[in-house]
């Protein structure tokens, strides 16, 4: 996403974000490339037409950058980023960043946050399908206005899908707001954990049915919109009466949820919609307010448990509300539709960073840290349903090996080997549910050469 570029001088450019399609109100997400650079060329880029005034740029957030010779996304140094009200642009807020290009043959790419494209998502689902797991099912629930797929994943033991079997369903959705890319990384973390051979994942598949629609707004994602669909709708305000013509993906998901709600064999236990937040730190949740005090208290249990499992999740930032402006959201609508045994949440995660309890230092999120939050969300269902004793039975200890070479190898590999590399890390190594004290994510990248 980039709308227009004005060259101010040899060393300075004004950049205009293209507004969301059919909706000029939203101008936040950017993702563009720069080429034809000179070595050691210093340039100032000014992004001059943000639609929001509050921003994490005031708290140290910086744009992402990568180049053809360094394909891993990195954050620019915050000292090179300025966010201010500018008299030259009708007192709009402007984000300026200075950058020194260092390789003439490279094409450089800058973005608001780590991109997660529709194409990447489709490749990811294709790779999961090729593994032929009998507990992973992918189907097309419908199509977007531009005929892109609305994918629905079901992750559960095949026994739970037998005709007449009773089902406890956890329904998870993501990317209803297309520019909120961290949502996709968190969602991938949840999926990766649930399809793994980790003892906790196996127990969760036996007891629960996970229904996941990871990308509710594929057209918006493809187009580079921040908040809206192709036709300019904020889909998360249209849950009350989605049109099969104008909001087909939302309509399809809502129909499925109502169908499950009306099935006496199906108990829809959780609905979690994953978002990213542009002004807050950490992960946190929004929940609903109920007249029934006991139901209101029960609703706080899951976020409290998640807070114990995930160092980046903040219970103090979690809030419960019924603002009129949020009435058309999935959380609010389904919270009103479903009965007292169902819990509906919006899970938010910062575009920028988290602050670990007891400290004041902001730790910038990485792609891996977003996925780790997803793994911890999945693990928290084990605590919620008190399935920890079941895991201990599943995680049968290895028999002692007499061969000394094999014994040495076993000591080296304390954690079971995983076929899928994303599952390595603290969320995958604690079958007894104990919280890890140290983050596995190395936030200082020694290869940072920008």
């Amino acid at each position: 996403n980039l709308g227009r570029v004005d060259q101010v001088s040899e060393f300075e450019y004004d950049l205009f974000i293209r507004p969301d399609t059919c909706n000029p109100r939203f101008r936040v997400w950017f993702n563009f490339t720069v080429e034809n650079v000179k070595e050691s060329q210093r340039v100032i880029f000014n992004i001059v037409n943000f639609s929001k005034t509050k921003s994490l740029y005031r708290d140290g957030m910086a744009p992402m950058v990568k180049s053809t010779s360094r394909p891993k996304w990195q954050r620019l140094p915050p000292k090179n980023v300025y966010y201010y009200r500018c008299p030259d642009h009708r007192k709009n807020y402007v984000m300026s960043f200075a950058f020194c290009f260092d390789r003439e043959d490279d094409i450089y790419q800058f973005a608001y946050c780590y991109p997660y494209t529709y194409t990447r998502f489709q490749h990811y689902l294709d790779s999961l399908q090729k593994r032929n797991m009998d507990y992973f099912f992918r189907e097309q629930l419908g199509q977007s206005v531009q005929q892109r797929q609305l994918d629905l994943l079901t992750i559960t033991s095949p026994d739970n899908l037998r005709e007449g079997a009773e089902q406890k369903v956890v329904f998870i959705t993501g990317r209803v707001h297309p520019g909120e890319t961290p949502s996709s990384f968190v969602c991938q973390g949840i999926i990766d954990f649930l399809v793994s051979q980790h003892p906790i994942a196996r127990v969760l598949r036996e007891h629960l049915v996970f229904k996941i629609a990871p990308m509710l707004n594929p057209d918006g994602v493809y187009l580079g919109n921040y908040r809206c669909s192709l036709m300019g709708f904020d889909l998360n305000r249209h849950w009350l009466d989605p049109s099969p013509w104008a909001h087909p993906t939302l309509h399809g998901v809502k129909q499925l949820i109502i169908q499950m709600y009306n099935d006496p064999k199906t108990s829809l236990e959780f609905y979690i919609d994953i978002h990213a937040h542009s002004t807050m730190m950490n992960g946190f949740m929004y929940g609903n307010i109920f007249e029934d005090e006991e139901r209101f208290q029960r609703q706080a249990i899951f976020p409290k448990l998640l807070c114990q499992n995930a160092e980046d999740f903040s219970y103090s930032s979690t809030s419960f509300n019924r603002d009129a402006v949020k009435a058309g959201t999935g959380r609010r609508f389904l919270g009103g539709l479903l009965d007292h045994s169902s819990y509906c949440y919006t899970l938010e995660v910062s575009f920028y960073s988290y602050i670990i309890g007891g400290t004041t230092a902001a730790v910038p999120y990485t792609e891996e840290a977003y996925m780790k939050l997803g793994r911890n969300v999945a693990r928290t269902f084990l605590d919620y349903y008190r399935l920890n004793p079941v895991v201990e039975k599943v995680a049968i200890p290895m028999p002692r090996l007499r061969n000394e070479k094999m014994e040495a190898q076993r000591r080296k590999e304390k954690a079971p080997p995983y076929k899928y590399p994303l599952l390595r890390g603290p969320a995958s190594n604690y079958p007894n549910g104990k919280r890890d004290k140290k983050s596995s994510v190395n936030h200082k990248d020694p290869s940072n050469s920008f």
Side-chain angles (χ1 to χ4, degrees):
N1 181 342
L2 191 64
R4 183 177 115 210
V5 180
D6 291 353
Q7 184 174 9
V8 178
S9 71
E10 189 185 345
F11 308 106
E12 188 171 2
Y13 294 84
D14 284 350
L15 311 181
F16 294 78
I17 295 169
R18 177 190 56 74
D20 282 10
T21 51
C22 304
N23 195 327
R25 287 178 51 213
F26 297 106
R27 304 176 306 279
V28 177
W29 172 260
F30 58 85
N31 182 9
F32 61 91
T33 59
V34 179
E35 51 191 287
N36 194 31
V37 305
K38 293 189 177 73
E39 193 174 328
S40 303
Q41 183 178 6
R42 285 181 162 78
V43 173
I44 293 173
F45 292 116
N46 309 308
I47 297 185
V48 301
N49 67 331
F50 279 115
S51 55
K52 284 191 166 190
T53 53
K54 286 184 181 177
S55 174
L56 285 164
Y57 289 125
R58 295 196 285 202
D59 300 304
M61 187 166 97
M64 313 300 304
V65 63
K66 72 173 185 175
S67 74
T68 38
S69 67
R70 286 149 297 182
K72 186 182 177 195
W73 286 102
Q74 300 172 32
R75 284 189 193 277
L76 292 176
K79 63 180 171 45
N80 293 0
V81 180
Y82 308 88
Y83 189 72
Y84 56 99
R85 200 185 277 276
C86 181
D88 294 344
H89 293 282
R90 295 181 297 180
K91 296 188 177 176
N92 277 344
Y93 274 88
V94 168
M95 188 268 288
S96 297
F97 62 95
F99 191 80
C100 181
F101 295 97
D102 57 354
R103 296 184 189 174
E104 292 197 358
D105 297 332
D106 268 15
I107 296 173
Y108 293 77
Q109 187 171 350
F110 299 91
Y112 181 77
C113 190
Y114 304 98
Y116 196 113
T117 64
Y118 174 75
T119 306
R120 172 178 178 166
F121 172 59
Q122 290 300 316
H123 286 323
Y124 169 63
L125 294 191
D126 291 345
S127 72
L128 288 176
Q129 257 189 309
K130 284 174 187 163
R131 290 165 62 185
N132 293 322
M133 300 169 284
D134 67 353
Y135 46 78
F136 173 85
F137 309 89
R138 176 188 183 186
E139 62 191 288
Q140 189 172 320
L141 191 56
Q143 287 188 315
S144 65
V145 173
Q146 288 188 315
Q147 307 298 295
R148 291 188 181 88
Q149 282 186 210
L150 170 62
D151 287 286
L152 176 72
L153 312 180
T154 303
I155 302 171
T156 190
S157 163
D159 290 347
N160 294 327
L161 301 179
R162 287 194 329 269
E163 197 173 336
E166 293 193 356
Q167 298 182 353
K168 287 183 176 178
V169 175
V170 174
F171 207 108
I172 296 169
T173 55
R175 283 305 272 285
V176 71
H177 292 149
E180 296 176 6
T181 57
S183 160
S184 286
F185 291 104
V186 174
C187 209
Q188 181 173 327
I190 292 172
I191 296 164
D192 282 337
F193 186 76
L194 290 176
V195 301
S196 76
Q197 288 306 311
H198 192 285
I200 290 175
R202 279 153 53 193
V203 168
L204 290 175
R205 292 195 299 265
E206 284 168 19
H207 286 81
L208 299 167
V209 177
F210 290 89
K211 297 273 185 185
I212 306 175
M215 197 171 277
L216 283 185
N217 189 349
D219 289 349
V221 170
Y222 180 87
L223 293 162
N225 285 355
Y226 175 64
R227 197 170 179 92
C228 296
S229 66
L230 166 76
M231 296 168 69
F233 294 110
D234 178 347
L235 295 181
N236 206 34
R237 294 296 181 273
H238 287 274
W239 276 88
L240 291 169
D241 191 22
S243 152
W245 173 75
H247 326 109
T249 57
L250 205 61
H251 182 266
V253 170
K254 181 180 172 181
Q255 292 296 104
L256 176 63
I257 289 175
I258 289 173
Q259 181 187 322
M260 289 194 300
Y261 174 64
N262 291 328
D263 181 349
K265 293 279 187 186
T266 301
S267 170
L268 186 49
E269 309 254 309
F270 281 89
Y271 171 75
I272 300 176
D273 189 25
I274 308 173
H275 289 252
H277 208 283
S278 64
T279 61
M280 300 269 284
M281 303 282 202
N282 295 78
F284 58 95
M285 280 179 150
Y286 291 124
N288 294 316
I289 288 177
F290 302 107
E291 304 299 335
D292 178 352
E293 180 63 25
E294 193 207 344
R295 184 182 182 189
F296 181 60
Q297 295 294 337
R298 284 203 313 263
Q299 186 188 211
I301 295 171
F302 188 86
K304 282 180 178 173
L305 291 171
L306 179 53
C307 188
Q308 291 170 16
N309 285 334
E311 65 181 1
D312 57 320
F313 185 85
S314 167
Y315 185 74
S316 59
S317 296
T318 293
S319 64
F320 304 90
N321 62 55
R322 53 174 164 208
D323 304 344
V325 71
K326 301 285 181 75
T329 64
R331 165 182 65 87
R332 282 288 306 279
F333 169 72
L334 293 170
L337 169 76
L338 304 175
D339 62 27
H340 64 89
S341 64
S342 305
Y343 298 102
C344 300
Y345 304 95
T346 301
L347 171 62
E348 296 272 3
V349 61
S350 175
F351 271 112
Y352 171 41
S353 69
Y354 57 96
I355 296 170
I356 299 172
T359 72
T360 54
V363 182
Y365 271 107
T366 61
E367 294 179 29
E368 166 59 24
Y370 285 130
M371 291 195 215
K372 183 182 171 189
L373 176 60
R375 296 196 294 266
N376 285 325
V377 168
R379 286 176 58 203
T380 301
F381 288 106
L382 184 89
D383 301 325
Y384 182 84
Y385 287 102
R386 298 178 179 174
L387 295 170
N388 302 66
V390 186
V391 171
E392 283 157 24
K393 286 179 194 169
V394 171
I396 300 165
M398 292 278 286
R400 289 184 68 82
L401 301 171
R402 305 233 173 245
N403 184 315
E404 285 176 12
K405 276 187 186 174
M406 289 175 74
E407 185 69 30
Q409 182 67 20
R410 188 181 69 82
R411 275 199 297 273
K412 223 187 271 181
E413 296 175 356
K414 283 184 183 171
Y418 295 103
K419 292 178 187 173
Y420 210 65
L422 291 172
L423 289 169
R424 295 185 184 278
S428 306
N429 293 343
Y430 286 81
N432 59 2
K434 285 184 184 172
R435 183 179 165 192
D436 48 305
K437 293 284 190 265
K438 294 178 185 172
S439 169
S440 67
V441 181
N442 179 9
H443 297 285
K444 290 178 184 171
D445 183 3
S447 65
N448 189 335
S449 50
F450 285 114

